[in-house]
């Protein structure tokens, strides 16, 4: 369930799910103001309504609410809490619906159970030998920034929670069948009423936020290597390079300066060659 949707109707009236920073607890009429009015304005603006984020309740706010619940503008003359399902964040996974179509809803009875927000997420055993630069996790179709310790920023948790891969993992936590498979990789902590936090894992891909062009060379083509710094030569010119990684028989490098990598790198025969990187 996400903010801006109308997941249920009561007596033919659509109920709007809305993520606001303050719960809507009172009936709001034209001219009312306060933190709850500002929260309503901000939430509607986040969903694309042409509203200032602060101000009093006016005809523009009422018109925006009417548009979201599919009612004519002239029929919405005030705003009351019964018109909304309050979400404390940008949404959650529907775990169960105790009420069915046609059932009578008793006062204070649960109509929908949704999962809590993703509170934190971090890559387990984050690799330390990755190429330098900003990195992103590819979770399905979502690209999510991750810091050097593998932590996902709070601002990206809602995006992570919206991915089908995370929703499948959370369905497994809830005991329901998932749409796909989840394997080890990222650890997402889900809010829980139990004293012990629940955990779900899924496989993700880690990549550079900005792609880099690298060359693959034989380790024998490098000389003057100190740490990740080395040089290559085509027999005529010396090119300083940075070593990004390696696998059996291949080393991945990129030029450290403005000189491009040589098209043909040879093992240096002249042992007197010096590498400015290594000095």
């Amino acid at each position: 369930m996400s903010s801006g949707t109308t997941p249920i109707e009561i007596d033919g009236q659509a109920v709007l799910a809305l993520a606001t920073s303050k719960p809507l607890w009172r009936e709001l009429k034209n001219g009312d103001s306060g933190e709850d009015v500002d929260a309503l304005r901000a939430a509607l603006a986040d969903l694309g309504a042409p509203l200032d984020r602060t101000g009093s309740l006016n005809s523009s706010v009422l018109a925006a609410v009417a548009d979201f619940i599919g009612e004519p503008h002239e029929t919405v003359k005030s705003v009351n809490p019964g018109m909304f399902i309050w979400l404390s964040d940008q949404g959650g996974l529907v775990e169960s619906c105790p009420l069915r179509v046609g059932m009578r809803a008793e006062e204070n009875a649960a109509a929908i159970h949704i999962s809590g927000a993703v509170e934190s997420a971090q890559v387990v055993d984050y690799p330390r030998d990755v190429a330098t630069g900003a990195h992103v996790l590819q979770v399905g179709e979502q690209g999510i920034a991750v810091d050097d310790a593998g932590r996902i920023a709070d601002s990206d948790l809602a995006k992570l929670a919206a991915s089908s891969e995370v929703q499948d993992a959370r369905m497994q936590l809830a005991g329901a069948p998932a749409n796909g498979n989840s394997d080890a990789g990222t650890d997402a902590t889900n809010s829980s009423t139990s004293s012990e936090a629940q955990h779900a894992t899924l496989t993700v891909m880690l990549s550079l936020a900005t792609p880099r062009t690298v060359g693959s060379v034989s380790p024998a083509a490098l000389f003057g290597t100190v740490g990740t710094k080395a040089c290559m030569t085509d027999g005529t010119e010396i090119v300083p390079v940075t070593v990004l990684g390696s696998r059996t028989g291949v080393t991945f490098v990129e030029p450290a300066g403005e000189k491009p990598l040589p098209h043909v790198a040879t093992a240096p025969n002249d042992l007197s060659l010096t590498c400015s990187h290594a000095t």
Side-chain angles (χ1 to χ4, degrees):
M1 182 187 302
S2 58
S3 186
T5 60
T6 51
I8 64 172
E9 291 185 358
I10 298 177
D11 293 335
Q13 173 67 62
V15 180
L16 177 64
L18 196 64
T20 60
S21 59
K22 300 287 183 182
L24 304 177
W25 55 272
R26 57 172 175 151
E27 183 178 12
L28 299 174
K29 297 180 180 179
N30 212 358
D32 284 345
S33 61
E35 289 186 347
D36 52 349
V37 178
D38 288 345
L40 174 62
R41 277 179 161 273
L44 295 172
D46 287 342
L47 295 171
L51 298 171
D52 292 333
R53 298 179 70 84
T54 59
S56 62
L57 191 112
N58 57 22
S59 58
S60 297
V61 179
L62 294 174
V65 172
D67 289 339
F68 278 108
I69 62 176
E71 295 292 330
H73 290 185
E74 63 271 14
T75 64
V76 179
K77 300 184 182 300
S78 64
V79 172
N80 67 76
M83 301 168 70
F84 304 96
I85 298 173
W86 180 65
L87 302 176
S88 58
D89 53 64
Q90 287 303 312
L93 185 68
V94 175
E95 296 181 341
S96 64
C97 298
L99 292 178
R100 298 290 183 266
V101 175
M103 290 179 63
R104 180 178 177 82
E106 300 296 337
E107 185 177 3
N108 296 323
I112 301 172
H113 292 149
I114 65 173
S115 60
V118 174
E119 296 176 349
S120 64
Q122 183 171 359
V123 178
V124 177
D125 298 327
Y126 189 74
R128 301 301 175 191
D129 57 350
V130 296
T132 57
H135 288 79
V136 295
L137 293 177
Q138 196 66 36
V139 184
E141 297 181 354
Q142 300 279 11
I144 298 169
V146 62
D147 68 13
D148 292 341
R151 293 184 295 264
I152 294 172
D154 290 347
S155 58
D156 273 352
L157 291 177
K159 185 192 295 187
L160 177 69
S163 68
S164 59
E165 288 75 13
V166 170
Q167 291 183 11
D168 282 349
R170 297 179 77 180
M171 287 290 283
Q172 290 182 342
L173 285 180
N179 295 324
N181 296 322
S182 298
D183 301 306
T186 299
D187 180 44
T189 303
N190 183 40
S191 62
S192 172
T193 55
S194 65
S195 58
E196 184 175 345
Q198 298 174 331
H199 297 275
T201 57
L202 61 148
T203 298
V204 298
M205 180 180 291
L206 180 67
S207 61
L208 285 165
T210 303
R212 292 157 68 176
T213 301
V214 302
S216 56
V217 301
S218 166
L222 301 177
F223 67 95
T225 302
V226 176
T228 60
K229 307 299 183 182
C231 285
M232 298 171 56
T233 183
D234 58 3
T236 304
E237 223 177 354
I238 295 175
V239 179
V241 297
T242 299
V243 178
L244 300 177
S246 63
R247 63 179 60 170
T248 305
V250 178
T251 298
F252 301 102
V253 300
E254 67 177 354
E258 296 182 356
K259 293 181 180 179
L261 293 174
H263 292 294
V264 178
T266 60
N269 295 320
D270 185 354
L271 299 182
S272 66
L273 289 176
T274 59
C275 177
S276 59
H277 254 322
T279 57

